[in-house]
Amino acid sequence: LIPDDIPLYQSAKYRIGRHGTFDFLKEVGDKSIKPQKEILFVGRFVKYKGVEYLIKAFAEIQDEFPDWKLVIKGSGKPYFKKELKKINPDQLVFENKYLSDEELVNSVRRASIIALPYVDGSHSGVYELARTFGKRVVENNINFGEFCSKLRNALFDYFLTE
């Protein structure tokens, strides 16, 4: 909820979490899974989620990070199939299916970075899921060059804190 002391016309300046964290999911799945060099997108395959921008960004930097994988899991009509061909097959995991809670949690545990390349939308449950598991999040601000730069920086940051 927006605090009473923030006028509604100013509320657009603040990022306010609507869902809270999903702490109950910490008890789901395989707790022994350690983070791998994976960038994860998870969710429905709909245009506003901007999956094609994530794929294009990873295609531009994949040679710099040959031991990293782009993992795309979700369900829907994959409108971005043409872009997937730009990714080295050894660096791509693609699953088009509904994920159970256990599959979702295990995927998040395995990832080092959660990508939210959305071009529209006001909130994401995936963002809260990433927070719950302490994951780095790379978000889009509808600027492809900047998103690609953010993704590259997140990978370099991973090496600095590893």
Side-chain angles (χ1 to χ4, degrees):
L1 297 173
I2 297 172
D4 292 334
D5 60 338
I6 299 175
L8 287 179
Y9 68 90
Q10 291 183 2
S11 64
K13 295 179 183 179
Y14 304 93
R15 181 176 185 136
I16 300 169
R18 304 258 185 232
H19 295 299
T21 60
F22 299 136
D23 288 335
F24 66 94
L25 287 175
K26 289 180 179 180
E27 301 306 315
V28 174
D30 183 349
K31 296 177 193 172
S32 69
I33 292 176
K34 301 292 182 218
Q36 304 297 308
K37 293 180 178 178
E38 294 183 358
I39 299 165
L40 175 66
F41 169 87
V42 63
R44 291 181 307 127
F45 302 143
V46 291
K47 286 253 186 195
Y48 81 87
K49 297 216 175 177
V51 180
E52 69 274 22
Y53 298 109
L54 171 60
I55 296 167
K56 288 176 185 176
F58 189 79
E60 284 201 15
I61 65 172
Q62 65 185 333
D63 292 339
E64 291 176 65
F65 303 96
D67 51 345
W68 279 79
K69 290 187 179 189
L70 176 60
V71 179
I72 300 172
K73 294 184 177 187
S75 61
K77 184 177 179 188
Y79 63 91
F80 46 81
K81 275 215 166 192
K82 185 172 81 173
E83 284 86 2
L84 286 175
K85 294 176 183 173
K86 297 175 183 175
I87 305 297
N88 176 342
D90 294 334
Q91 289 180 270
L92 177 66
V93 175
F94 175 72
E95 291 183 14
N96 185 359
K97 67 174 199 163
Y98 178 82
L99 300 176
S100 68
D101 286 350
E102 185 171 341
E103 291 170 312
L104 174 62
V105 167
N106 288 344
S107 296
V108 171
R109 282 192 169 113
R110 195 173 298 107
S112 292
I113 297 170
I114 307 297
L116 302 175
Y118 303 176
V119 297
D120 194 14
S122 60
H123 194 74
S124 169
V126 177
Y127 174 80
E128 302 303 341
L129 184 61
R131 281 186 47 207
T132 298
F133 287 93
K135 300 297 178 170
R136 291 175 175 89
V137 175
V138 177
E139 299 175 293
N140 191 4
N141 66 347
I142 314 176
N143 176 324
F144 172 73
E146 193 167 324
F147 182 71
C148 186
S149 177
K150 284 180 180 180
L151 190 57
R152 180 181 282 116
N153 289 341
L155 291 172
F156 282 127
D157 181 56
Y158 176 84
F159 292 113
L160 294 175
T161 59
E162 190 175 48

